[in-house]
Amino acid sequence: MRSNQNNHSCSYSKALFASLVAGLFTPAYGQEIDAERSEAIATLTHVGSQINIGAGFISDDNRRFGQYSGLREESLYGKFDVDYRMLDRTDGRWLKFYGRNLGQDNREFLFDHQRQAEWRYFLGFSQTPRFEPMQIITGLQGIGTTTEIVSLSGLRPVDLKMKRELFSAGFDYAIGKYDSVRVRYTHEQKEGARIFGRGNPGGPAGIEFLAEPIDRTTQTLELSLSHIDRDFQVSGGYYGTLFTNTASQLAVSGGALGATLSPMSLPLSNDSHQVFITAGYNLTPLTRANFKTSYTSAHQNERFPITPSLALAPRSLDGQVDTTIVYADLTSMEIRGVDLQANIRYEDRDDKTPAAQYLSLLNANATNAGHTGFNKPRSSQSLKSKLEGGYQLPLGFKGLLTWEMDEQKLDAPELFRRVAYREELDEITTRIELKRIIAESATGAISFSHAKRTGSDYIPDTYTVSGQPSGDVNPLLWADRDRDTWRATLDWSPLDELNLRFAVDKSDDAYNGRDMGPRDGVRGYYAVDTSYSLSNRWKATFFVSREDTTAKQTTHTGAGPTQQWAADLRHIGDAYGFGVHGKMRNGVEMGADLNYYRETAQNRMSAVSSGFAVTSLPDYTYRLTEMKLFALFPLESNESMRFDYVFNDWRTDDWTWSGWNYSDGTTIRQDVVQKTHYIGGMYIYRWQ
Amino acid sequence: MSTNRNSVNLGRDDLNTGPMTGAKIVYVSRVLAAIALCLSISRTAQAADEPAPPSAKAKLEAPGEQLAEPAVAPEKKKKERLVPVDIVLKGDKACTRCHDEGDDFPVLAIAQTKHGVGADARTPTCVSCHGQSTQHLNIPKGSQGVRPLPDYPFGKKVLSDVAKHNQSCINCHKGDKLTLWMGSSHSRRDVACVQCHKLHTSNDKALSRATVSDMCMNCHTEKRGMINRPSRHPIKEGKMACVDCHAPHGSAGPKLMAKDSVNETCYTCHMETRGPFLWNHLPVVQDCSICHNPHGTVIPNLLKVRPPFLCQQCHEPTSHRGNTPALSGNNGVQAASPFGTGFASVPAQARACNNCHNNIHGGNNPTNINASGRLRR
């Protein structure tokens, strides 16, 4: 609605002037007012474009702050953004060019041309770097290639990096009023190297550093036809993917292991082809049915780059996995105050890869190793169904009752296994929610759900060594489990200026059935978010949250059940944030945000068996303090200057790599304190 | 015609809000009146010499036909300006006579969006979304001058009847990615379209990759801390967004996955883990989220739990697999045995279990049963 609060000194004087001369000099004044008004309307209604040109300075070398942006060395960085938009209103033709971070490692742009409701095509590019945040000192030769030589000499710092270059293109075309065709294509090239390694327990023994060469191309193509009318919508088409890996094996020599584990296999090229149909139909104005089905055939049939040990073994896996997914739902609000929903989802993963013998059973360790020498295709089926009813209760309450069933069937074709197995798994979840719109300024909900997972009898682990008994682990994947979850939310605006949001989420897991493996787990999440409007132009926000997750699990050492021990794993994530944003009367926009994140990990261990001692791993913490300031100064109506300051303080005492030395002498370390200051200035020009 | 209306309506109340006294006003009025007289004479003379410039309004873009004013004499023009005309959408004059360029809420900015393109016959009118709102337009008797809200105000009040408000959008936005909206968890949990989308601005945060994730985290606040963890996707940098993996308008997959399953969604970028492999690892086949938390963790590679604890959640303890993890950074111990003396411990450092079992997503090496079958080469 109209407000005079926006009419500040300038408009005040104009109004005064107008009130004095109105009626006396109408023609001249009328034109002026008309022009002013037209200009204001044009500013609001014309499609605008903008360019930003500037630079920023990074104060210190860092590895975390610029991990995905490239702003990781003390230097001056240029910045150029463009957002060009042109609209021809006579025929609804849009022309857009969007570029961000042009000139930087994480640059991206999009060219988009369309005639609204008729056709559209676009071309895009996005580059995403990933710089390894760890400092590596190694003597490894041939990094980034498929032939590497482990060397104990020639240690030097090495920077590993990966880069994704994504090209995308698309085309839409409307065929008449109801039908359309869509084409999407992406081509992503991923290059670089990342931390890898190899290890051997004996004869010869050692753990050596390697770098995994990355030279991969991923392509996707989607073609679809759609029909959309008032009550019936359907689209169907093809979605194909093609993954090409030119680095399909890694030959390694040198070091203590020499060629013991060489060559090492890397992912082979693969592809998939999917046809799909998605449809929805309004059976009545208050009842709708949706449906989706897809059939995907995925293949890996690239010839093995490594010759199989068994002479008669196939030279290609000829892998084929056919996946069928059927989804349907029905939602109805035919009964006043009642809404009902039912859905069902069926997935059949049929691994049609031929089982063949690749390795000889004559290998002395074959049986003990739990192998027949055959590959192990994995098929599975799952059926998920859900019923949900909502009922409008008195006093503004609404109740929701949900029942879900998840049934899984897993094929277990292999004779030998290292993990106890279940062929069938069932989980039933019941959930009740009570929701109330307490007032127009507040809403709240509380819910409780109970999920119970059980399954068929276990097919035990077959792997024994030297007569050691098999364990009795309840695998996380399919352990019997009871899960209770409480959730409560409240969104409340006690004042027009103040909004408060509270969230509590608590779940408890209890694992049953077998003696070891996961025993219980608890997750809690607690958050308060606040926003307060200091004035029409200034707003302050504050948040605090804690996520606390614990998991307890047990197992025993290779010595057997006499050395049983337990692990109490806990993760606490705290987050605090405060921000003020606003605009001054002279048009200057300013903002300040201060955020603090603290992540604490505990890996406590204790002995279950008497007479057995266990030493816990040290706790470790990550802390991130981030302060962001900005100010936007208008120079003219279409020009402004923006200044940014960012302070990033990252700290940890994580011991993952501390003191760790590879057998080949490689070390991987990180600065435990990384402080970065960023100061940037940008000229902004807008036009319409 | 707001400025004119303001000029007339400002009157005493508004003048009194300023610092001027009555005497000063009289003095200033005289000075300004004299200046205005000069300007008026000057402009009148200029107008007589030059062809009348097209009305600035006539320069406005479509629906320009509705905006353009006829070239008329100034005195007639003044009279016509008092008659509301459509500015952006057909029939919007009923609304924009108040919600004009001086309005607190920039409703006119809808002209910068697809909803404001008159050449597209599908574009709505104000009434299409906000309802006829007759009581809002004509204050009913007995309301003591308080103007009722429009039928669909789309502000905080929207919470009172989300389904009806959303229907305003669904009436036009059918099919495509919205086909499965009805029945989706967002729909079932009464999420209003306008909680994510802002229509009267050219910068709808929900439509920009750089800003959409911040918007998602207004509700999904637990993800706010996760994306700042040391092992993370490049969401902060805007190179990935929540909507790359999730379809907020509905999906046939769990957790509103963008594709039909968790794995198929992950394969979009990590296709090297799809296989099928010669040596498969079951949880990789089943669900990537068994081991990984894509929103961020404190363990490298987005692992949920630090190995070997992670691996010990499923694997039987035979051999070294149930051994206690230790900080075995001693090079000599590793050179002798990566498992530590007498199978007492396994390394918790570096890549832990993956120090040796490096092809954990699956291997394709058809040689050497011990190493390849155990995903070590």
Side-chain angles (χ1 to χ4, degrees), chain B residues 313-348:
Chain B
Q313 289 183 335
C314 289
H315 283 276
E316 298 285 4
T318 319
S319 179
H320 60 287
R321 292 175 293 179
N323 289 356
T324 54
L327 304 187
S328 49
N330 183 299
N331 189 29
V333 171
Q334 291 168 41
S337 168
F339 308 141
T341 306
F343 287 91
S345 64
V346 287

Side-chain angles (χ1 to χ4, degrees), chain A residues 239-404:
Chain A
Y239 172 64
T241 69
L242 177 63
F243 171 74
T244 309
N245 189 11
T246 57
S248 55
Q249 64 165 324
L250 176 62
V252 186
S253 60
L257 305 185
T260 302
L261 294 169
S262 181
M264 307 184 75
S265 70
L266 298 175
L268 297 179
S269 301
N270 60 63
D271 59 84
S272 74
H273 308 274
Q274 180 187 89
V275 289
F276 63 89
I277 293 177
T278 307
Y281 182 64
N282 296 333
L283 299 167
T284 73
L286 296 173
T287 301
R288 181 173 173 86
N290 292 324
F291 172 80
K292 176 164 189 182
T293 185
S294 64
Y295 177 80
T296 309
S297 187
H299 309 93
Q300 181 192 277
N301 47 26
E302 183 182 356
R303 185 180 174 88
F304 294 125
I306 306 166
T307 305
S309 295
L310 202 61
L312 297 177
R315 298 303 303 273
S316 164
L317 182 64
D318 286 332
Q320 180 176 342
V321 177
D322 293 345
T323 305
T324 305
I325 292 177
V326 180
Y327 169 87
D329 72 44
L330 183 70
T331 306
S332 175
M333 292 178 283
E334 297 288 349
I335 307 170
R336 186 179 176 83
V338 177
D339 59 84
L340 299 168
Q341 199 224 7
N343 70 38
I344 190 166
R345 182 182 184 278
Y346 173 73
E347 178 173 351
D348 179 10
R349 184 183 192 277
D350 186 4
D351 193 339
K352 294 179 176 174
T353 304
Q357 189 170 9
Y358 287 88
L359 307 169
S360 170
L361 283 173
L362 295 177
N363 183 307
N365 212 19
T367 305
N368 279 343
H371 266 289
T372 59
F374 282 71
N375 62 310
K376 294 179 276 192
R378 303 279 189 182
S379 295
S380 62
Q381 299 87 41
S382 77
L383 179 65
K384 295 182 180 180
S385 44
K386 174 180 158 186
L387 288 171
E388 185 171 85
Y391 185 66
Q392 196 67 47
L393 299 164
L395 303 175
F397 282 98
K398 183 181 180 183
L400 272 172
L401 187 61
T402 310
W403 178 88
E404 288 182 65

Side-chain angles (χ1 to χ4, degrees), chain A residues 1-3 6 15-16 18 20 25 32 34 37-38 44 64 68 85 89 94 100 106 108 114 116-117 126-128 164 182 197 199-201 205 218 230 241 262-265 270 272 274 288 290 292 294 300 307 309 317 339 341 345 349 359 363 365 369 371 374 376 388 400 408 418 431 435 437 461 463 471-473 476-478 493 501 525 529 547 553 555-556 558 565 571 597 599 620 626 655-656 658-660 662-663, chain B residues 1-2 5-7 10 15 29 36-37 43 56-57 61-62 81 100-101 103-104 109 111-112 114 116-117 119-120 122 156 159 174 176 179 182-183 188-190 202-203 218 221-222 224 228-230 232 236-239 252 260 264 269 271-272 274 276 278-280 282 285-286 290 306 309 312-313 316-317 319 321-323 327 329 331 334-335 338-339 349-350 355 358-359 364-370 373-374 376-377:
Chain A
M1 304 295 288
R2 165 164 300 287
S3 166
N6 282 343
L16 174 62
L20 293 170
F25 311 107
E32 188 172 304
D34 214 25
R37 188 186 179 219
S38 295
L44 288 169
R64 291 285 176 177
Y68 291 109
R85 302 181 197 193
R89 290 191 186 274
W94 292 84
R100 191 166 71 104
N106 58 346
E108 60 189 27
Q114 60 180 291
Q116 194 166 316
S126 175
Q127 179 171 295
T128 306
R164 290 175 182 264
R182 163 180 289 196
N200 204 41
T218 301
R230 195 187 68 172
T241 69
S262 181
M264 307 184 75
S265 70
N270 60 63
S272 74
Q274 180 187 89
R288 181 173 173 86
N290 292 324
K292 176 164 189 182
S294 64
Q300 181 192 277
T307 305
S309 295
L317 182 64
D339 59 84
Q341 199 224 7
R345 182 182 184 278
R349 184 183 192 277
L359 307 169
N363 183 307
N365 212 19
H371 266 289
F374 282 71
K376 294 179 276 192
E388 185 171 85
L400 272 172
Q408 294 183 54
R418 291 186 176 83
R431 184 173 182 276
K435 182 175 183 176
I437 298 172
D461 167 42
Y463 182 31
D472 199 11
V473 167
L476 184 78
L477 288 171
W478 38 73
S493 296
R501 285 193 294 163
Y525 177 72
D529 278 63
E547 184 189 15
Q553 60 192 58
T555 187
H556 63 66
W565 58 279
H571 174 264
Y597 304 96
E599 310 286 341
Y620 60 90
E626 201 166 51
W655 39 257
T656 300
S658 303
W660 171 269
Y662 277 99
S663 306
Chain B
M1 303 299 126
S2 67
R5 194 177 61 241
N6 270 353
S7 304
L10 270 174
L15 292 176
S29 301
L37 178 60
R43 290 187 182 190
K57 270 187 194 170
E61 294 172 335
R81 276 204 314 276
D100 58 10
E101 75 280 5
D103 195 78
D104 268 355
Q112 300 179 36
K114 289 189 172 181
V117 177
D120 181 353
R122 306 170 306 169
K156 284 183 180 177
L159 292 172
K174 305 168 186 287
D176 197 14
T179 302
M182 187 77 85
R188 297 292 298 165
R189 294 293 172 266
D190 294 331
S202 60
N203 295 310
N218 282 338
T221 56
E222 71 277 15
R224 187 171 48 202
N228 281 288
R229 289 174 179 167
R232 62 187 179 89
K236 285 177 69 175
E237 289 79 3
K239 300 305 292 186
D260 291 343
E264 194 181 339
C269 295
M271 217 168 277
E272 72 276 10
R274 179 168 59 189
L278 177 56
W279 312 115
N280 289 307
L282 183 57
V285 173
Q286 194 164 343
I290 291 171
R306 175 177 287 276
F309 300 113
Q312 288 167 339
Q313 289 183 335
E316 298 285 4
S319 179
R321 292 175 293 179
N323 289 356
L327 304 187
N331 189 29
Q334 291 168 41
F339 308 141
Q349 286 190 281
N355 283 326
N358 41 32
N359 269 326
N364 288 309
N365 196 320
T367 64
N368 191 321
I369 198 164
N370 286 330
R374 295 174 188 173
R376 284 174 44 216
R377 57 178 291 190

Side-chain angles (χ1 to χ4, degrees), chain A residues 46-179:
Chain A
H46 283 205
V47 172
S49 301
Q50 177 174 318
I51 57 168
N52 310 330
I53 302 172
F57 179 72
I58 293 288
S59 66
D60 303 278
D61 289 353
N62 67 82
R63 289 180 170 272
R64 291 285 176 177
F65 180 75
Q67 183 181 3
Y68 291 109
S69 66
L71 304 177
R72 56 195 294 274
E73 293 178 350
E74 178 183 340
S75 182
L76 189 67
Y77 296 85
K79 183 170 172 61
F80 178 53
D81 306 323
V82 59
D83 185 2
Y84 174 77
R85 302 181 197 193
M86 193 276 287
L87 170 62
D88 183 346
R89 290 191 186 274
T90 58
D91 64 356
R93 195 181 303 240
W94 292 84
L95 181 64
K96 300 180 188 175
F97 181 79
Y98 170 78
R100 191 166 71 104
N101 300 325
L102 300 178
Q104 294 185 358
D105 285 339
N106 58 346
R107 56 186 166 270
E108 60 189 27
F109 69 79
L110 177 72
F111 172 81
D112 189 330
H113 190 200
Q114 60 180 291
R115 184 169 182 180
Q116 194 166 316
E118 293 191 15
W119 51 260
R120 177 194 182 205
Y121 65 89
F122 66 86
L123 296 168
F125 172 79
S126 175
Q127 179 171 295
T128 306
R130 184 193 186 276
F131 294 91
E132 175 54 53
M134 310 302 293
Q135 301 165 337
I136 301 168
I137 296 178
T138 184
L140 183 69
Q141 305 294 318
I143 292 175
T145 72
T146 54
T147 305
E148 295 183 351
I149 303 169
V150 179
S151 171
L152 277 67
S153 61
L155 297 176
R156 68 199 187 286
V158 168
D159 265 340
L160 296 188
K161 173 190 172 186
M162 289 188 293
K163 183 176 69 176
R164 290 175 182 264
E165 291 179 327
L166 174 68
F167 292 91
S168 55
F171 174 70
D172 296 329
Y173 187 75
I175 308 167
K177 189 177 177 183
Y178 300 109
D179 304 315

Side-chain angles (χ1 to χ4, degrees), chain A residues 569-584:
Chain A
L569 311 174
R570 188 177 185 192
H571 174 264
I572 303 169
D574 293 325
Y576 307 87
F578 175 72
V580 180
H581 289 247
K583 190 172 183 179
M584 300 171 71

Side-chain angles (χ1 to χ4, degrees), chain B residues 133-150:
Chain B
S133 307
T134 49
Q135 292 199 329
H136 178 73
L137 292 169
N138 306 299
I139 302 175
K141 289 179 181 175
S143 60
Q144 297 177 327
V146 177
R147 188 182 293 278
L149 289 168

